[in-house]
Structures are given as C-alpha cells and as structure tokens.
Amino acid sequence: MSAVHFDLERFRQAVDAGPVLVDFWAPWCVHCRRLDPVFQEIAGDYAGRLQAGQVNIDDLPQLAAEYHVNVIPTLVLFRDGRAEASLTAPESKARIEAFLREHL
Amino acid sequence: MEPHWDVLIAGGGPAGYSAALYCARAGLRTLVLEQLSAGGQIALTTQVDNYPGFPEGIDGFELGQRMRQGAERFGARTQLAEVTALELNRPLKTVHTSAGVFQGRAVIVATGANPRRLGLPKEQALTGRGVSYCAACDGMFYRGKTVAVVGGGSTAAADALLLSRLCKKVILIHRRDTLRAASIEHQALLEAPNVEFRWNTTVIQFLGSDRLLGLRLRDLLSGAEAELPCDGVFLCIGRVPATALLQGQLELDSAGYLIADETTRTSIPGVFAAGDVRTKALRQAVTAAADGAVAAHYAEEYLRGAQ
Ligand SMILES: Cc1cc2nc3c(=O)[nH]c(=O)nc-3n(C[C@H](O)[C@H](O)[C@H](O)COP(=O)(O)OP(=O)(O)OC[C@H]3O[C@@H](n4cnc5c(N)ncnc54)[C@H](O)[C@@H]3O)c2cc1C
C-alpha cells in the first residue's frame, strides 16, 4: 500500500471520505525526497485507518495557498474535511508516528 | 523481542551502509537502524562531484539509495526507526528504538552530524519559517528576496555564492574581518554586485514571531546594535555530531565527537564509530564509506574472538 498522488478532484474526494494525511512536496525539494520512503511506510502501516496522499505544490499551488503551506515538506492531517494539524519537515518516522498518535 | 543480530548499525548514511555491505558480505546478520532515509546528509545534495566512480557526478539521494541496495543485495536489512537509547556495556548489546528493542553482539555507531544551531531564542520555532541551514535545500524559497548568511567558512562562502544567483541581495555576516578559506568562492563573492559583507558582527536576536522578519546584529568592535530586515537567514556555522545518546557511555572529545582512531574502535569493546561522528581530519562521503569498511573489519574480528 503506497501513497496516492492527488490531483484536485481526488484530493477533494479523499478529504470528504475520511481522515487523510497529505504530504505537500515538490520535485526540487531535497528534504521532501528524504521524507518519501518513510511516508510510503506510514501509508502502509496506517492503511484502513487513514488515507495517505501526496500533493505536488508546483502542480497545485492553490492547495498550498489554501492550507497555508509555506514550507515543504509539510504533512497536513485532514479530518471531517478540515485541516486538523500540520507537521513541517519531520526528522524521523518516529516524529510522524507521535504526531498521528496525538491527532488521529 | 526478536532473536539477536550479529551487528546493529545506528544510522544509514554512507558510513552505515558501507559498514552494512561489508558486514553482510562477511556473512554477519546485519541490521541498519535509520530514522529517515538512506544516505544521511549526502541525500540533501543533488550533485556529488567528489565520490569516485561517477565522472559526471551523482545525485546524493540516489547515491544513498544505491548504497542501501548494495548492502541489501547481500542480506543486510533496514528498519526505519529512531534509536532512542543504547546499553552497550554487556557482551549482548541492547538498542532501544521507536520500533522496539533490538539486540546485537556488536554495534556500529554511524549517526553522523547535524548543522550547528546558533542557540538563540525562537531559533527552533522559526526553522523553516525564514531560518535555514542549507542553501542547496531551501534556497529556492528565497528567489528574488533578501537573505543573510551567517558564517565564515567554506560552506558559508559556497552558500552565499549560490544564493547570490537566486536572491535580490545577500548579506554575509561574520564574526571576524575576513573569510577563513581563501577559496574559489571567495573571489567570486567579493565581485558579486549583490553581496554585502558585515564583518566583526554577530546575530543576537531573531526578529519576527510567525516568520522571520529580520535580525538584530551587534558590531563586535564598537558594541553598536542594529536591525537588519531580511526574508531569510542561512546559518552555516559548522556541524555537531549526533552523539547525545552516547554521552556518559562512550568517550567523546570536547566538541562531542566519538573518540576513535583509524580502527574505529571506541572505548567499549564491540562498539565502533564510523563516519562523521568520529574524531577525524576530513568529513566527506568517501571517508565515511571508508570508515564503514574498517568498522566492519574490526567488528568481524571482535566477533570471532568473542565466540
Ligand atoms: C548539504 C551537504 C552537502 C554535502 N556535499 C558533499 C559532497 O559533495 N561530497 C562529499 O563527499 N560530502 C558531502 N557532504 C558531507 C557528507 O554528506 C557527509 O560527510 C557524510 O554524509 C557523512 O556520512 P555519515 O554516514 O557519517 O553520516 P550522515 O550522512 O550524517 O548519516 C547519518 C544517518 O544517521 C541517521 N541517524 C542519526 N541519528 C539517528 C538515530 N538516533 N536513530 C536512527 N538514525 C539516526 C540520520 O538520519 C542519517 O541518515 C555534504 C553534506 C551536506 C550537509
């Protein structure tokens, strides 16, 4: 189970359907690449409880603006269609797990 | 708890995966514990031109992935987990992580280094909100803006030069009145029309609450203070080894590096230090990889003797 690539439509559908963890990233962002393997593992570990998806902010700058993502990588947890909490540039998988324990 | 491993390796940078490759090829059951992703610091640069064997250079992230694949091809395993504590004194060593407890007969510490912080209030909160430690990583955010670079070493010079090509204006702030290394970057910097120097100056405060708005500076000669508005600041003031977990267990030098000679042996038998964490003259990917090979060699010798 790996993370989905969101376009605008799939993003809207997903956040309406249940909890979603979104990784805002861009191809030129080196910290984003380092985060990717861990994000894919999180997608697998939390399958069934949480959908994990990625938004390329170069393709969807309107989403980055809408959710005030000024820095990437930023993970945003959506619940009931709303941005519930965010985490910028986590330095370990453990940090993301702690974030999800607190907010999910 | 799982059955124990022959070798546990803390950190999956060039040192960790080189050690894993050599250990696995020696037939040792080897596990790498990495908190984020393979490659460590080298994964943060898109162009590595001084790792032999890549005449066109190679992307650092890709180099890290390849190091991991090379080690796993011979049976080394990876667990993405943060090491939180180590008990190293008994023959069977215990490593606590965010993904459970692991035991191994030998431990190779390859946790590398992180950028040094200035240690001022709000630094953590503003990191990623104007405060950065890596121009190659975050420079793109400051295209057309005004940024400051703090430091006087070769990293500061290289970062200032890189930023001068992206940004409207770059202000280089240094404690002394000249740059440390008379590097290629040095001349180019002095000639760049949009680079300004503030010599004998230090940063004493970050201005702004949600986002960095500027810096408060102190002139070290006159003591005069002034504010410098800027959109970002890049701190290039050296690195600190990731050895906090080992304090009180292994011998560290005054800067926090693990004391180990060219054999990579530390003050505890069966525990080895490889890469940027160790006291050494040159901290680069190639010397980290070399350390990994040496650590694997002495770990194997230690394990043979311990049987
Ligand atoms: C921006 C940049 C550019 C560079 N460019 C070059 C270059 O062009 N050529 C060159 O030769 N060198 C370059 N270097 C230096 C080079 O990256 C380092 O010398 C090398 O990566 C050191 O390798 P290492 O394995 O010792 O440590 P690191 O690369 O620091 O790897 C340590 C690993 O351990 C992990 N870790 C740390 N603590 C824990 C823990 N508690 N639990 C689990 N895992 C942990 C980290 O996540 C990391 O992946 C560059 C460095 C930077 C920052």
Side-chain angles (χ1 to χ4, degrees):
Chain A
M1 182 79 192
S2 60
V4 195
H5 271 284
F6 284 140
D7 56 21
L8 201 54
E9 194 185 336
R10 288 177 84 185
F11 168 80
R12 302 272 184 225
Q13 281 169 358
V15 297
D16 282 342
V20 186
L21 185 66
V22 179
D23 171 19
F24 287 88
W25 72 288
W28 46 266
C29 156
V30 289
H31 289 300
C32 300
R33 293 197 297 177
R34 277 211 82 195
L35 186 63
D36 189 65
V38 154
F39 191 73
Q40 300 298 342
E41 279 206 5
I42 293 278
D45 295 350
Y46 285 80
R49 276 184 289 164
L50 176 75
Q51 172 154 32
Q54 293 175 304
V55 167
N56 178 342
I57 65 161
D58 285 352
D59 294 343
L60 298 172
Q62 66 272 45
L63 281 187
E66 187 175 337
Y67 297 105
H68 309 288
V69 174
N70 299 315
V71 175
I72 49 173
T74 290
L75 305 183
V76 180
L77 180 67
F78 289 86
R79 285 180 58 182
D80 307 318
R82 284 184 314 130
E84 176 103 359
S86 75
L87 177 66
T88 296
E91 68 284 2
S92 67
K93 184 179 179 193
R95 185 70 195 81
I96 305 174
E97 289 165 341
F99 169 79
L100 289 175
R101 262 199 306 282
E102 188 182 338
H103 296 286
L104 191 61
Chain B
M1 198 181 322
E2 305 193 17
H4 68 251
W5 297 81
D6 292 326
V7 185
L8 292 174
I9 299 172
Y17 276 112
S18 162
L21 173 64
Y22 277 80
C23 286
R25 282 174 59 86
L28 301 171
R29 297 186 62 245
T30 304
L31 180 68
V32 176
L33 299 159
E34 165 57 47
Q35 64 186 1
L36 193 54
S37 67
Q41 297 168 73
I42 204 73
L44 291 174
T45 178
T46 50
Q47 181 77 11
V48 182
D49 284 323
N50 51 13
Y51 195 82
F54 300 96
E56 267 82 55
I58 181 167
D59 170 32
F61 185 79
E62 159 127 36
L63 182 59
Q65 297 299 314
R66 289 194 191 195
M67 286 180 175
R68 174 176 173 174
Q69 287 157 9
E72 292 184 346
R73 176 173 152 223
F74 293 98
R77 301 277 298 277
T78 299
Q79 174 77 50
L80 290 183
E82 181 181 348
V83 174
T84 52
L86 301 100
E87 296 168 48
L88 301 173
N89 271 314
R90 280 189 234 113
L92 192 58
K93 299 166 197 324
T94 304
V95 177
H96 298 261
T97 80
S98 56
V101 177
F102 298 88
Q103 291 192 305
R105 294 158 64 218
V107 168
I108 297 174
V109 181
T111 45
N114 298 306
R116 179 183 300 283
R117 323 233 156 220
L118 262 183
L120 293 175
K122 294 196 285 192
E123 184 166 354
Q124 195 106 35
L126 291 172
T127 297
R129 299 173 184 280
V131 175
S132 172
Y133 299 88
C134 174
C137 314
D138 303 331
M140 292 282 264
F141 285 117
Y142 300 94
R143 194 183 276 282
K145 301 200 166 155
T146 297
V147 300
V149 173
V150 181
S154 55
T155 312
D159 280 11
L161 192 61
L162 190 154
L163 291 165
S164 73
R165 297 186 185 122
L166 287 170
C167 302
K168 186 166 80 185
K169 189 164 160 196
V170 177
I171 301 119
L172 194 116
I173 300 165
H174 187 33
R175 278 183 290 150
R176 300 180 210 286
D177 60 5
T178 168
L179 294 179
R180 207 176 309 141
S183 56
I184 326 171
E185 285 92 6
H186 199 165
Q187 197 51 41
L189 267 184
L190 294 172
E191 285 164 10
N194 61 341
V195 177
E196 205 179 288
F197 296 87
R198 297 285 172 93
W199 304 116
N200 302 305
T201 300
T202 76
V203 178
I204 54 171
Q205 199 189 335
F206 294 119
L207 307 174
S209 48
D210 288 351
R211 140 123 258 122
L212 184 81
L213 299 173
L215 305 171
R216 191 165 187 76
L217 305 178
R218 179 180 291 144
D219 184 314
L220 291 171
L221 300 180
S222 67
E225 294 183 7
E227 288 189 2
L228 173 74
C230 58
D231 303 298
V233 60
F234 289 82
L235 303 174
C236 309
I237 48 173
R239 301 212 198 129
V240 279
T243 52
L245 295 175
L246 299 156
Q247 251 162 36
Q249 288 199 74
L250 292 175
E251 279 176 31
L252 308 178
D253 74 2
S254 59
Y257 290 98
L258 284 172
I259 296 179
D261 64 12
E262 294 306 315
T263 66
T264 76
R265 291 188 184 109
T266 66
S267 48
I268 299 180
V271 180
F272 305 86
D276 277 15
V277 272
R278 176 173 82 83
T279 48
K280 65 198 293 192
L282 181 66
R283 294 193 173 85
Q284 288 281 285
V286 68
T287 59
D291 272 10
V294 173
H297 170 79
Y298 283 100
E300 192 195 355
E301 183 189 89
Y302 164 82
L303 290 173
R304 232 185 293 125
Q307 252 161 20

